[in-house]
Amino acid sequence: MTRHQWPAQDTEQSRQAFRVEAVGLTLEGRAILTDVTLDFVAGEITALVGHNGSGKSTLLKIMARQQTQNSGTVHYAGRPAASFDARAFSRSVAYLPQDVGAGAGMTVRELVACGRYPWHGALGRFTDRDRQKVEEAIALTHLDDFADRLVETLSGGERQRAWIAMLVAQDSECLLLDEPTSALDIAHQMEVLSLVRRLSREKGLSVVIVLHDINMAARFCDRIHALKHGKVVAGGTPAELLQREALENIYGIAMDVMPHPALSIPLAYVS
């Protein structure tokens, strides 16, 4: 499969980056996910939202092939995700977990270069194309002035940009991001999510991102899926999802919605 060449046999299928169907996971007798069926549209940014323990991160791990479900199927680009060999899958899908560490002892350029591993392997030669992809990723994420800095000396927002640059250097078609803004202040959250949206638009990337803040999801994502106790409870565009009844169902508290004063998106708040 060449870059951004999706299956042509079915119109609906060709618009899917991922499809998870009837996915379930039980660990130590506890149901983590139950009968989860969702579509993730190619070229869009889709948020997974819900309270702590709702199964968002676990679902992302299953999509990234970091966790195996007990039941159901996961398709990527119209094929069973399990049918890809490990290198082919990692070349096409990049995963950023919650806890990525500080990149101790590495410069930004060295960290970004790690994204080329799926293309040359542990013993492969780092080629001119690899170097080109690293420099392109640094430029796209506006890290030129930090390229020779140690990652551990960067601010939280700069560090997250460096990890995202590593995924960009991986030259993948789909990014799976698990709460990339969880430890950041509001300014750095805006910086990181703006970067993700810009990269999606400029490079045609499909993005699935776990977020806690429903208003950030509405501002930066094309579509939102909500989980509660391991089950899908709502989904749609931000305008469709940010409705009083849906929000109360997702979060279990009384919430209301108002128009954003400057943007054509809704704003949710606790009433």
Side-chain angles (χ1 to χ4, degrees), residues 38-113:
L38 290 170
D39 290 320
F40 297 88
V41 179
E44 288 191 352
I45 305 176
T46 304
L48 292 173
V49 302
H51 58 76
N52 289 338
S54 61
K56 309 180 300 294
S57 295
T58 301
L59 178 60
L60 202 72
K61 284 181 182 177
I62 289 172
M63 293 166 65
R65 303 203 325 185
Q66 303 296 307
Q67 172 80 53
T68 303
Q69 71 272 21
N70 300 135
S71 59
T73 58
V74 178
H75 280 73
Y76 173 67
R79 288 172 50 187
S83 71
F84 291 83
D85 67 47
R87 179 171 288 188
F89 188 78
S90 62
R91 285 178 174 180
S92 193
V93 178
Y95 170 60
L96 189 68
Q98 285 185 44
D99 186 10
V100 292
M106 302 180 73
T107 67
V108 169
R109 182 173 280 108
E110 288 169 341
L111 176 66
V112 175

Side-chain angles (χ1 to χ4, degrees), residues 131-181:
R131 278 183 279 275
Q132 176 190 353
K133 289 295 181 181
V134 169
E135 296 307 316
E136 283 179 359
I138 289 171
L140 278 168
T141 51
H142 299 161
L143 286 168
D144 308 73
D145 293 338
F146 304 96
D148 296 315
R149 285 263 304 272
L150 290 173
V151 176
E152 63 217 62
T153 68
L154 303 180
S155 71
E158 292 161 354
R159 193 176 302 153
Q160 284 298 83
R161 280 164 53 198
W163 283 102
I164 292 171
M166 184 189 73
L167 303 191
V168 173
Q170 194 169 325
D171 208 23
S172 301
E173 298 163 0
C174 182
L175 306 184
L176 305 179
L177 309 175
D178 193 357
E179 297 191 39
T181 60

Side-chain angles (χ1 to χ4, degrees), residues 224-239:
I224 303 172
H225 295 315
L227 298 179
K228 185 176 183 179
H229 303 310
K231 298 180 180 180
V232 179
V233 292
T237 65

Side-chain angles (χ1 to χ4, degrees), residues 190-241:
M190 291 289 292
E191 174 188 354
V192 168
L193 292 175
S194 295
L195 170 63
V196 170
R197 185 171 63 179
R198 178 171 60 81
L199 290 172
S200 175
R201 300 297 186 257
E202 290 181 1
K203 294 177 68 65
L205 300 178
S206 309
V207 180
V208 183
I209 182 169
V210 172
L211 292 173
H212 270 297
D213 190 325
I214 189 68
N215 287 316
M216 286 294 190
R219 181 169 186 143
F220 289 101
C221 300
D222 302 296
R223 207 170 300 266
I224 303 172
H225 295 315
L227 298 179
K228 185 176 183 179
H229 303 310
K231 298 180 180 180
V232 179
V233 292
T237 65
E240 291 168 342
L241 192 80

